[in-house]
Amino acid sequence: MRFGLKEKKRILIALLAVLGMGLSVSFLLRVDMGTDPYTCMNNGAAAKLGISFGTWQAALNIILLIIVFLCDKKQIGWGTVFNMFLVGYVSDFVTWVTDKLVANDVFTVMSVRIVIMLIALIVFVIAAALYMSAGMGVAPYDAINFIIADKIPKVPFKITRICVDALGCFIGYLLGSTVGVVTVLIVLTLGPVVQWMKEKMDALFA
């Protein structure tokens, strides 16, 4: 399959954004002040099962991909593949590297945790919005949000996203994950930012 210059740029944006998501997720997990709802849910499940976060997230993504394939294949693309496998494993890798290079007590200092949390939160929201707005496919969890929004056109995407994310937070909480200030901020901001970013991206590549 041949891609034009615009498609190649979109693929590159999706890839870099997903790598940014994996990087930020690692630090959000480390400072333990909450994560995005999907990570919250998957981190709790991985801990209960005794496997790595990346491995569990990849496995669940494969299951959800089957549902997305049956409901709306157009949501699947390069961005789907990038997100399915890179976010979790990049997060695991960055955590492994920081374990080797950074003393653990650094992450116990509240002022340091807050600074890391704010930077990682901003990077995550922007990166997630970029990858979803690139138009090269989205992860199964994100695709389900778009599918629901398409099926219920009277409900804006940002409302659908908030509701699905709130459910993810609740499941994560039941599994023992931290539902903190970061989780709440992502639930409230990601949907609107994605909607805004998609309009900008569509105009840029029109």
Side-chain angles (χ1 to χ4, degrees), residues 19-105:
L19 293 176
M21 289 173 65
L23 175 68
S24 58
V25 163
S26 174
F27 286 103
L28 289 174
L29 288 172
R30 179 56 65 86
V31 298
D32 195 30
M33 299 177 75
T35 61
D36 67 282
Y38 193 52
T39 296
C40 176
M41 180 175 68
N42 285 328
N43 193 49
K48 293 290 185 184
L49 294 171
I51 60 178
S52 77
F53 165 69
T55 297
W56 166 251
Q57 181 150 299
L60 180 59
N61 279 334
I62 291 171
I63 296 171
L64 294 179
L65 180 64
I66 297 172
I67 298 173
V68 174
F69 182 81
L70 294 174
C71 295
D72 189 0
K73 292 193 288 287
K74 75 174 185 294
Q75 299 289 346
I76 300 172
W78 282 104
T80 310
V81 178
F82 295 154
N83 189 290
M84 282 179 63
F85 299 104
L86 290 180
V87 172
Y89 284 123
V90 166
S91 175
D92 284 349
F93 176 73
V94 172
T95 299
W96 177 79
V97 171
T98 53
D99 281 343
K100 299 291 185 183
L101 301 179
V102 182
N104 286 331
D105 58 1

Side-chain angles (χ1 to χ4, degrees), residues 9-25 79 82-83 86-87 90 122-134 197 201:
K9 288 182 178 179
R10 286 179 179 269
I11 291 174
L12 180 60
I13 289 171
L15 175 59
L16 294 177
V18 166
L19 293 176
M21 289 173 65
L23 175 68
S24 58
V25 163
F82 295 154
N83 189 290
L86 290 180
V87 172
V90 166
I122 292 170
V123 170
F124 180 87
V125 171
I126 293 174
L130 276 172
Y131 122 81
M132 279 188 273
S133 303
M197 187 71 75
M201 194 75 74

Side-chain angles (χ1 to χ4, degrees), residues 8 34 38 63 71 73 76 79 112 115-116 135 169 174 179 184 201:
K8 289 178 180 178
Y38 193 52
I63 296 171
C71 295
K73 292 193 288 287
I76 300 172
V112 174
V115 170
I116 293 174
C169 290
L174 293 179
V179 178
V184 175
M201 194 75 74

Side-chain angles (χ1 to χ4, degrees), residues 133-149:
S133 303
M136 298 307 297
V138 294
Y141 175 82
D142 298 317
I144 288 172
N145 286 276
F146 286 111
I147 290 170
I148 294 173

